[in-house]
Amino acid sequence: MNQANGTAELQSPAPRIITDHEQNAQNARQHTRKTYDHPQPPKPGTHPFSSRSWPQRPRSPGLKWHKGYDTSESRKSGRVLLIDYVKASETKEGMRKVATQEIKSVDELRRIYSNPDRGSEAVLRVLHVQNANWAVHFLLKKFNIQDRDDLVGTDFGRYVKYKRPERRGGKPFLSGKSWKTVHDPWRAINRTSFGLDYLKPYQSRVSEPQGRQDKTGKMMELNSYDENDNPTYGWDVYVQRLSVYIQHKETPAEVPGYPDVQNPYEREMRYHDPQEYFPRLESLDNGNTIIIFENSCSGSIDDTVIAARQQWESRWRRLPFYLAYESSDISNDDHMALECMKIILQDVWKSVAESWEHLLDLCTNHVDILQDKIYEQPADESRAPELWANSSLWLKVERLVSIHTDVVRDMQNNLRELTSEPDVEDNWLEDTPNDMDRISSLYGLLIH
């Protein structure tokens, strides 16, 4: 009792000492309540129920590439990427081997085909030919692509030789084409192919590289915004060509003998000029194959629709791994070869769609700049020639989008006829029509 003010003053009790055992139990209850009532994700590299740090798993390193294309000059000499998907009998059980090699000369290519073991091990071979005329002539003969025989030949080889698009009236004429599936019973293969022109933008502020100085493939010029958001002349758009050859190996069967059908691979049964190349059946490559022929106006292997050593090529080197991850059967050679062929062709068209998206983004900036100029001075008639020129260019672009869409539909039908097995799933290029429809919609938004 406080005598001065007559109030009672309560004294606080002495603090209770908590033992170590009670403190540990209290901490455990709080941790359990926090974990289960309000679960939190564990911190990276830390176990969720322990204060001890766990080492983080380092990211898997990317696939290494052999040296030889580290300089800009080396990237303009042309190159062939060869990818072999090896048979199951040549690898460990449950695994798949992929052999990859970058080829820089026709002599290297000949050495590969002179090795009988290398060809017999591959269940599927992919060849990506970039700016390599020396490889084009060799492969056209090796696969008998340029044969002019009416029974087993097509004019696809002539299309591949012309690495630049056709010109009409001094201007590039954009085109695309597909070749029907041809059955060759003597080689026990089915084959089809397609080719198309596409538009590749180059930055104008970069000095003109060799191959673009003649400007024969130049299609249009596009304005863009500089670092200060000021309109400027930014892009040159060139026409480039992509050609793809697809060959599928069939089960060998006896060729029926018809007196009116001559064997095109027997010299005595076919008129032949001694000066011309005659295909010998035993020297041809009759395996599962995809050949992608590309040429860039700059001459660089980085400026094709499928750039060297980038996303798509790196993905193709790991296709068996992706198929196994998706629970696909990779133990059967024929099944794995077909699945890889479907994925690679789908990726080729994905790259074409991505090039369209990039171009249409640049075209959108060009149209916005032109509209701003017109709205600022609507009475200025000096813009009329530019408007007419742009209108003509947009019609050509629209026509090219339509050509690509038609080629996709034709190739879906051709690829269905590529395989004769009844149990093969009909899902060739299943996503490509939707991609092309999206490109058509983007183009419609651009011009309206």
Side-chain angles (χ1 to χ4, degrees), residues 382-394:
S382 63
R383 299 289 179 184
E386 186 177 0
L387 289 175
W388 282 109
N390 277 272
S391 178
S392 176
L393 290 173
W394 299 144

Side-chain angles (χ1 to χ4, degrees), residues 1-11:
M1 179 72 66
N2 192 331
Q3 299 294 334
N5 52 22
T7 60
E9 186 175 10
L10 299 178
Q11 296 182 357

Side-chain angles (χ1 to χ4, degrees), residues 60-65 100 309 313-318:
S60 299
L63 291 174
K64 295 183 179 180
W65 294 89
T100 307
R309 302 183 176 184
E313 288 190 349
S314 299
R315 169 180 163 87
W316 297 343
R317 295 176 64 187
R318 286 178 166 173

Side-chain angles (χ1 to χ4, degrees), residues 41 56 132 148 180 231 251 354:
Q56 292 185 359
R148 293 179 294 178
K180 64 179 182 179
T251 303
E354 288 181 356

Side-chain angles (χ1 to χ4, degrees), residues 28 45 62 129 133 173 178 181 190 206 219 235 261 265 286 375 422:
V129 184
N133 293 330
F173 180 76
S178 63
T181 302
N190 292 335
V206 180
M219 184 71 181
W235 298 89
V261 179
Y265 300 101
N286 302 321
Y375 293 154

Side-chain angles (χ1 to χ4, degrees), residues 320-361:
F321 168 77
Y322 295 134
L323 289 174
Y325 181 77
E326 296 173 358
S327 301
S328 298
D329 182 19
I330 63 172
S331 60
N332 183 277
D333 288 339
D334 294 335
H335 177 75
M336 192 202 73
L338 272 178
E339 291 300 316
C340 289
M341 293 176 75
K342 292 177 181 180
I343 294 175
I344 292 171
L345 293 176
Q346 184 75 60
D347 291 344
V348 170
W349 281 101
K350 285 285 186 182
S351 64
V352 173
E354 288 181 356
S355 68
W356 270 119
E357 293 175 351
H358 176 54
L359 176 68
L360 293 178
D361 286 342

